[in-house]
Amino acid sequence: MTLPQTFLWLGLFLFGRTAFAQSTRAVWLDELAIKSFSEGIPAVLGKTNAAGDSMRIGGSYYRHGVGVNSTSILAFWLDGHAKTFSALVGVDDQGQKNLPHVFYVIGDRNILFESRVMRRGDVAQPVSVDLTGIKRLGLLVRVVDEGLTKVYSNWADAQFVMLDNHQPKTIPNTDERYILTPSAPQTPRINSPGVVGATPHNPVLYTIAASGERPMSFAVNGLPAGLSLDAKTGIITGQVAKRGTYPVTLHAKNALGEATKMLKINIGDTISLTPPIGWNGWNSWARNIDQGKVMASADAMVRMGLSDHGWSYINIDDAWQGKRGGPFNAIQPNAKFPRFKEMVDYIHALGLKAGIYSTPMITSYAGYTGGSSDFADGHLTDSIVANKRAFRYVGNYRFETNDARQFAEWGIDYLKYDWRIEVPSAERMSAALKQSGRDIHYSISNSAPFASVTDWVRLTNSYRTGPDIRDSWNSLFVSAFTLDKWAPYGGPGHWNDPDMMIVGNVTTGSEIHPTRLTPDEQYSHVSLFSLLAAPLLIGCPIEQLDAFTLNLLTNDEVIAINQDPLGKSARLVQETDGIQVWLKPLEDGSYAVGLFNVGNFGKTPQSYFRWGDETATSFTFDFTKVHLKNRYALRDVWRQKNLGPYTGTFHTAIRHHGVVLLRMFPEK
C-alpha cells in the first residue's frame, strides 16, 4: 500500500468511527417526572427543596436539582444507555439541624458513591460516577428521622449524561401476575361478617353478602323486633330499641343448594365490631371526584362481584365540599354533587354504605371548606379561597355539631376526619357523631401520635397509624410492617389503620397508573392488612379491576381472617434472616400465620431497591419458637388448599417480598 493509500484508508477509518460514534446529551434530574421515580413516602420536588422553596446547601443556591424529604428512594431503569451521573449533595439549609444524612448512588447492586455523613450547614459534596453498562440505578438518602418533619436534603445540579436519545425510565414491573385462588363455587356461600353492632334506636343496614349463581333468595331466623329482611336482595334494615345480643341464622339459597351462617347482632354502645371493608375515592380520582364517579363506583362494586364478598363502603374523600349553609349551617356539597341525598340513597339501595370526608381545619388539605372558621357564621373570604394552604389550622369557631347533624340527615355511614391530629378536635367530633342520631364509623387521619393511642381507642372507630401510603414496597413496609407496637390497642370498635390499599390502578403522587407493587408484594400487602385486622379500603377505580386484582380481593378465607369476630391483631413473633412471622389468634381457636420474606429491607443500602435478580428463600417454621403447640392441620389460605397435619415444623420456600399465608388448626 502506497503512502497516499495509507492516509486515505486511515481517513476513511477515522471518519467511519466518528460517523458511527454514539452521541450523548445531558438530562437534568428535575426535567424528569420525578415523582414517578420516587419510592419514598414524602413528596420529591424538582428545582426546589422538598418544601417548595429555594434549594440551598451550605449557603449556596442551586437552580437545578431535586429536593427530597426524610429517607428518599429514587429508582431508575437505564438499561445500559447512560454514561455518567453527577450532582452536588447535601442537607438543605431549611432542614433539621444536626440530623445525619448519608447519600448513595447504587448501580446493579454495587455502591458507586457513598457520601460522608452530612448535616445542615455542610458544604455540598460532589458526585460523579461512571454508569457504563448499568441497567438499574438507585439514588438513596438514608436518615433516621425518628418522626421529625422538615428533614430536607438535595440532589443539586443532578444530571445524567445519556447515550443517543435515551431517557431514564421507571423500573419495569413485569413479574408474572399469577393467580392463586380458585374461583368461588356456584353453590351459595355466605361471606358477610358473623357479628354486627348498632346503637339502640339508630338505623341498621346489614347486607348478607353471598357468592354463587343468581338468582338467590335469602331468609333469616330470629331477627329481633324492629328489623326486616328483603328476601330478594338480602338487605336487613330497621332499628332495634332494646339492648342485647341477638343470635340469628342467615340463609342463602339458589338452584344449586343452600348455605347458612350464624350472625350475632349486638345492640349497645359499640359499632364497627369488624374492620370496615370497601372503597375510598382519593387514590382513584383525587380532586376530580364527582357524583357520577361515586355512583359508577357503587355500581361497579356490585357488578364486579366485590359486594358478594363483603365489600360494602363507598367513601368520598376530599373535594366534595362547597359553602356552609342549609338548615344546619353545615358544609354543603359543591356543584360536582348536585343531588347529594339522592346519591346516598342510591348507594344504600344497592346494600352498600356511604362515607364522607371532612376536617376540623378551616380548609381541607385539597383546599375545600373545613369544619371551623375565624368567623361566627363559618363563611370563607376571598383571601381564604385564594390562599387555602395558609388556613390549615383549627379556627376559633367550630361546627362539629352542625356538620354531624347534616351527615346523619344525608344518611352517611362513615366519616374520614383529616388533620394534624390532636385530642380536643377528635373529642368534639366524637361527641357530635354520637349525638347525631345515626351510627357513623369515625375514622381519624393521619399519623395519629402513638403517645395518645388510648385516646384514639376511646374516641374513634379507626385511627391512622402513619403517613399517607404510596404504591411502593418502602411505603408498604413503613405503613404496615412496623405496626407491632400498635397491635395491643386495636380491636372491635377501634381499629389500627395503616391507610388505604395500593392495588389496582392508583394515583398516589402521579397520574393514574398500575400499582408499582410486584405481584408478590401485593399478596403480602393483602395478607398483612388482613392479619392486622386493618380497614380494607381499596383506592383504585373499581371498574378498571383486572382478573389478577379481582382475584386478590375476593379470597373469602383471607377476608375472613380480617373480619374475624375476635378482632385481635397479629403480632410479629419472629424475625430471622429476612423472614418475618406474624401470628393472629382467631375466634375458633385456630391461628392465622403469615410468613413474609421482607428481604432484610432497610438494613443495607441495596435492600431499598428491586434489582430483578431476587430469588425465593427457604424457611423452616418452627412452631415451638413462637410458643405454639406441637401438632396442627395446616391450610394454604391463598390456594384454599389443605396441606395436611404437621408436627413441630413446616418447611417452605417464600418468594422475595412474598408471603405464605397459613391457617393452623390444633389437633388433639
Side-chain angles (χ1 to χ4, degrees), residues 1 6 60 73 82 206 215 232 253 357 610 626:
M1 182 180 296
T6 300
S60 296
I73 305 162
Y206 178 93
K232 291 183 178 179
K253 185 177 182 180
Y357 172 102
R610 181 160 51 91
V626 297

Side-chain angles (χ1 to χ4, degrees), residues 574-652:
Q574 182 182 354
E575 184 166 11
T576 306
D577 298 329
I579 305 297
Q580 289 189 0
V581 180
W582 289 76
L583 178 70
K584 174 183 173 71
L586 301 174
E587 185 187 43
D588 65 357
S590 67
Y591 295 91
V593 179
L595 311 177
F596 295 90
N597 181 357
V598 300
N600 286 315
F601 181 77
K603 294 185 177 180
T604 66
Q606 292 90 334
S607 68
Y608 287 91
F609 299 92
R610 181 160 51 91
W611 301 108
D613 58 358
E614 291 84 2
T615 58
T617 298
S618 294
F619 178 69
T620 298
F621 175 34
D622 186 333
F623 306 161
T624 62
K625 287 187 177 180
V626 297
H627 307 294
L628 292 178
K629 295 179 181 179
N630 202 34
R631 185 174 173 85
Y632 291 85
L634 267 56
R635 182 168 174 83
D636 184 322
V637 180
W638 278 111
R639 293 177 173 82
Q640 297 184 349
K641 178 181 178 182
N642 290 328
L643 302 178
Y646 281 80
T647 302
T649 61
F650 170 72
H651 185 78
T652 187

Side-chain angles (χ1 to χ4, degrees), residues 263-539:
L263 168 67
K264 291 180 180 179
I265 302 175
N266 292 338
I267 304 300
D269 296 323
T270 305
I271 64 171
S272 301
L273 297 181
T274 60
I277 172 172
W279 173 85
N280 178 288
W282 184 258
N283 284 350
S284 297
W285 308 114
R287 293 172 177 83
N288 296 321
I289 194 72
D290 59 41
Q291 181 171 305
K293 291 185 176 71
V294 173
M295 295 174 71
S297 298
D299 285 334
M301 184 80 84
V302 175
R303 185 179 67 254
M304 301 291 284
L306 287 172
S307 60
D308 295 341
H309 300 273
W311 298 85
S312 58
Y313 283 94
I314 298 293
N315 293 345
I316 307 164
D317 209 284
D318 206 349
W320 68 271
Q321 310 95 307
K323 295 180 180 180
R324 186 169 293 281
F328 303 110
N329 192 30
I331 303 172
Q332 300 299 300
N334 58 39
K336 297 187 296 178
F337 293 85
R339 297 178 302 281
F340 203 91
K341 180 65 165 66
E342 179 182 317
M343 175 189 67
V344 174
D345 290 344
Y346 182 84
I347 293 170
H348 287 163
L350 295 174
L352 305 174
K353 297 185 176 183
I356 206 167
Y357 172 102
S358 193
T359 174
M361 300 187 298
I362 294 175
T363 60
S364 70
Y365 283 106
Y368 291 81
T369 303
S372 66
S373 176
D374 285 335
F375 300 95
D377 63 356
H379 75 274
L380 299 183
T381 65
D382 291 341
S383 63
I384 294 174
V385 173
N387 189 20
K388 302 180 184 78
R389 283 180 175 267
F391 294 89
R392 291 177 179 171
Y393 63 87
V394 178
N396 294 322
Y397 299 93
R398 298 178 289 271
F399 300 91
E400 292 91 355
T401 299
N402 310 60
D403 293 338
R405 291 176 66 190
Q406 180 67 83
F407 299 157
E409 178 73 16
W410 284 332
I412 293 299
D413 305 292
Y414 184 112
L415 170 64
K416 176 180 176 180
Y417 209 45
D418 192 19
W419 83 111
R420 302 178 184 96
I421 299 173
E422 30 77 35
V423 172
S425 291
E427 192 147 26
R428 287 192 300 270
M429 181 52 83
S430 177
L433 292 174
K434 289 176 181 177
Q435 297 165 11
S436 71
R438 187 173 183 85
D439 291 341
I440 299 176
H441 179 100
Y442 181 30
S443 169
I444 59 172
S445 176
N446 57 53
S447 297
F450 181 72
S452 300
V453 66
T454 55
D455 288 312
W456 316 138
V457 169
R458 173 176 61 90
L459 297 171
T460 77
N461 301 119
S462 57
Y463 40 89
R464 277 278 301 280
T465 52
D468 290 347
I469 200 168
R470 297 288 184 265
D471 57 316
S472 70
W473 176 257
N474 171 69
S475 184
L476 175 62
F477 191 89
V478 170
S479 297
F481 283 92
T482 59
L483 288 193
D484 186 62
K485 71 176 183 179
W486 293 84
Y489 301 97
H494 47 88
W495 305 103
N496 300 319
D497 180 7
D499 201 10
M500 292 172 282
M501 303 180 75
I502 40 175
V503 298
N505 295 332
V506 294
T507 59
T508 53
S510 58
E511 296 297 322
I512 194 164
H513 59 277
T515 179
R516 292 179 296 171
L517 295 185
T518 67
D520 292 311
E521 291 167 350
Q522 292 180 65
Y523 277 112
S524 290
H525 175 19
V526 178
S527 298
L528 187 56
F529 271 46
S530 294
L531 288 164
L532 292 172
L536 301 180
L537 296 173
I538 53 177

